[in-house]
Amino acid sequence: MKYARVGAVVAAAAIVVAACGGATGGAKPLKIGISLPLSGSSLASAGPADKGARLAIKDFTLPGYTITADVKDHAVNGVHDPQQGAKDMTAFAADPAIVGVVGPFNSSVAKVQIPISNEAGLLQCSPANTNPDLTKGDAGKQLRAKQPDKINYVRVATTDDIQGPAVAQYGFNKLGLKKVAIIDDTETYGKGIADAFAAEWTKLGGQVVGREGAPKGTTDYTAILTKFKDAAPDAVFYGGVTATGGGLVRKQMPQVGLDKIAYLGGDGIQDGPGSVEGSFINIAGAAAANSFSSVAAIAEYPGKADFDAKYKAAYNEEAGAYSASGYACAQILLQAIKTAASKGDVTRESVRAAGVDTNTTFETVLGPVKFDAVGDTNQKIISLYKTDLTAASGKGDWVFDSQVDYK
Amino acid sequence: MTALPATNDAGRPSVPAGRVVRLLVLLAILGGIAWLAVKNMGAEQATEQLFNALTRGAIYALIALGYTMVYGIIELINFAHGDMFMVGAFVSLTFLGQILGLEGAVTNIPLLIALLAATFLVTMAILALVGVTIERYAYKPLRNAPRLAPLITAIGVSFILQNLVQLVYGPYQTNSPKIFPDTWVIQVGSATVPVLSLFIIGVAVVLMIGLQLFIGRTRLGRAMRSTAADRDAAALMGVNINRTIAITFLIGSALAGAAGVVNGLQYGVARFDDGFQAGLKAFTAAVLGGIGNTVGAALGGFIIGFIEVGATAMGYTRWGPAIVFGVLVIVLVFRPAGLLGQQLGERA
Amino acid sequence: MSVVTDLSPKAAGGGRMTGLRLTASRHRSWSIVLGIAVVGAILPVLAYLPPFSLAQPANAWIDGYTNAGVFVLLALGLNLVVGVAGLLDLGYAAFFAIGAYTYAYVASPFGNSVLGINLVESLGTEVGGLVFWPMLLVGALVAATFGILLGAPTLRLRGDYLAIVTLGFGEIVPIVFLNSDQLTNGTNGIGGLLRPSLPIIGSFSAINPWPYYITMLVLVSFVMIMCYRLVESRLGRAWEAIREDELAAAANGINTVTVKLLAFALGASTAGIAGVFNASKLVTVSPDQFTFIVSFTVLSMVVLGGMGNFWGVAVGAFVIYTINNVLLKTLNQFFDQTGFPILKDIDFIQLQFLLYGLALVAMMLLRPEGLFPNSRRKRELHTAITADEQDSLTTAEGTTEEGQR
């Protein structure tokens, strides 16, 4: 009797040990954080990046590890909120399974997130940040101040100090416009790109015949446009996004008699076809014709058709402007994890080091990407788009025009 | 309410000399500004900006009327009033866009007139209903409570309205069919003025005149004036206070609805948070003109329109809101009675 | 006239206090410190237990508590202005901004260059971070000064007008910060702020939440003690007097000008402290951190928590913040992942202001004194009292109070 009982206990213990042993021999769970504004008016622009990133994570396998996405939405009331972004990044930093983060979308959020991820040594890749101060110069250094030798932030989009001038060159050289009036939305991105555009425009020999700042919440641009009309501009440049007025300005231009002239903008107004609620084409309607914008990323790359097909199969919708960028960022993180795994243990530090290594060329859907010493991509391509109101079954869409390589 | 003339110590109505003088000074200032504008911008620009200012001012005036009427009668700043304007914009865009399925300009004049009339009627009626309901359930129970309570309730109602609209329509701008064609313009000298601007100014003026006639000549109007002047005495004279207050809200909300329709025609978009800034500026207009005074509210609305356009003309667009709110603070601090109002007592 | 025998402290609003409230009021400061210490110890423990530990890691919770603490500080200060003194301030975020930017000027390279000093460069992060502690006081003083400046024009205004003027100021201040590029770096904001540091511990970290958390507990205790001291002093009684009837208070010799200005100043100083703390944690300040939404959120917390009651307001602020930032987000994620039919499409975070609005209206209609009211406030707001209540009031307290006169 006694022996039987002892035997039963030993057997049970053996089974438990075997089960535990089996468990530790199984896959190690890793997580990639995704920090993007995914509700309200931000969803149209950032949603595709999120979907792209998740697609890459889903498609990836690494023996010995299971990698999942942990998505945190930092939009409050439909708008990206830096404080929420900071909280989300702190939460990611506190979670030991997180070894990398894709995001954010807006530069103002990146400014509060980078100090946190830098201190945590957490690799962070943004698909869409374009503000140069996030990486370059003293401003960039300030963000990395806690661990200045261990940069952790990289991005696949190029910067506004290239994007703004690219639009200027397109407008001046290709479209032959000479006089431009500029409106910016007084926010970080809008003012930054408008300043870069204006500087380049003057350098090319063009004239800036008017410049006004109209904070978000402005609904009436007729007064500003009437004032511009006096100076007879060939085009109006809008520095900002659709939500802060990009669409409204264009919509009101016919009312003032300025509908014939061109409209230029950055990636802030390139937010999808007219069928998407709240997008530039949707708001501007018929007035959206003769409008031009840019995206701080490559548009025509080998493999685009395949990617678009894969994306559509997965999500039953067309890929957005930043879908491929989101996918690429995730690919970079995953490749860094793979490199770290091949060298030994996957830790935040090993992933970070692999991700920011300036000697590594990452094979991404956008093509080969290398990062410089401060985390900027070597792929300095700006893609230019124009509106075509007959596209997307009559609803209107942005169609690719050309891309310029600024390396 | 139209302000009652001030009486001097002997109880005899004093000649409102002060008010006439103030109006003359105001006109002189406006004239001076107009002259400067023409000199700097040229007559064409000045004329066009003038109409821009009048159009914008007309919208503020319509909203301001509601604020001033409600304040005159129950001494409550209805924070939710700006959001009523926003709701009006959404009602009109739903009516035109989703129910009637329109998208662009309607050039057939009789049809256009019919559509406009229908939109105004429907929007104003719905807003009137909403206004009366809010008054009945959120403000009436607190009529005798300490001042803080209805103010906070009004803030709560404002949140509710904004977020209900946001839930239904989303946080992005929603298109409102611009059925009034932009292409119809008339030439005033060398300036091009859209007929739409004239229409909006006309609507505002007609509604304001209508309101003045209503308040001055009808029984209900008299009831409103007496309730505003002295609620208890009015009650003793047989005025049904509850009904009078409800009607005040009805009219004020309907006017905000009209402002919403007009806003949709002019700008073609609406968003759930349009009401906050517009409401605050309209309140500034009401205060500037003299809170409780309907003519003052209209005047104030136009002045605010001028201030904003003037700021743009001088290149200070991004300071525009700060200037308007600065005007608000200055008027409230130095002359709370506004331009046309009586000197109010300063304590609660 | 009966001889006065009952010298026990009276609760605000008459009536004798018993038990816990009595002990608490006798040893106010200690009870606050103890209370905060207890709460401060329990909360982190909760963070390690399910279901909390399942929602997010413990460190994230503690970081969240600290962020909630910022709102607690703001709510305490606004409670002084709105709840105790009865001045409806709708632009409170302006003082929050002023505190934050004051810290930014002293503790960042950009700010230093504007001021013409060289603090950050010369001292470095470890020593420079020590400047945080005196800056708490400086921030409070600067904010208090602006409280007086912005409050002065409102002195002669009635409740509603006062509210609107403060709302106007609340809008103007961020716009000024936004447009003054040379002085404030405009929309880009001022970055690179020093984190606080202490002699042995060194500089506070972005990922270790404990130093910030404990500092916040200390700040909350300090501010609460100050608030209670003020309310239980002559100044506090003067505030309650002007809240209830300004004319009568003035007739009784209270200098309403000084009293009101002090309310604004002291309320603003709390926001100044919160601003300095928040800036040192986020290491950047920008005008879009100080919108009217912040003002309204804090106001909602004060109203819902119980105007006039500091513990009530503190608890209310904490609860509302946590509901907002954790519960609603978790609901979102939960419904998203499980794929509930209708619920998964609802963005609960978007709903938050709808819920605030409904709560404010419901509160004002049903329980205007808030969730944790002050008993005098409760009586004041439910002005219709029945004959029975009238009787019981006079017999229980009336005689003693009359005797004291």
Side-chain angles (χ1 to χ4, degrees), chain C residues 97-110:
Chain C
I98 288 169
Y101 270 91
T102 307
Y103 183 69
Y105 279 124
V106 172
S108 75
F110 176 85

Side-chain angles (χ1 to χ4, degrees), chain B residues 301-314:
Chain B
F302 285 112
I303 294 180
I304 296 289
F306 274 99
I307 292 179
E308 286 201 315
V309 172
T312 298
M314 296 201 294

Side-chain angles (χ1 to χ4, degrees), chain A residues 118 141 144-151:
Chain A
N118 178 259
K141 282 206 202 112
R144 307 188 284 269
K146 198 73 182 187
Q147 298 197 78
D149 308 319
K150 297 189 175 177
I151 71 158

Side-chain angles (χ1 to χ4, degrees), chain A residues 212 220 223 226 243 248 255 282, chain B residues 45 52 175 178 267 271 317:
Chain A
E212 283 289 335
D220 185 315
T226 309
L248 268 184
Q255 272 170 273
N282 180 261
Chain B
Q45 263 273 300
N52 283 335
N175 276 325
K178 293 188 61 157
Y267 300 118
R271 189 162 54 185
T317 313

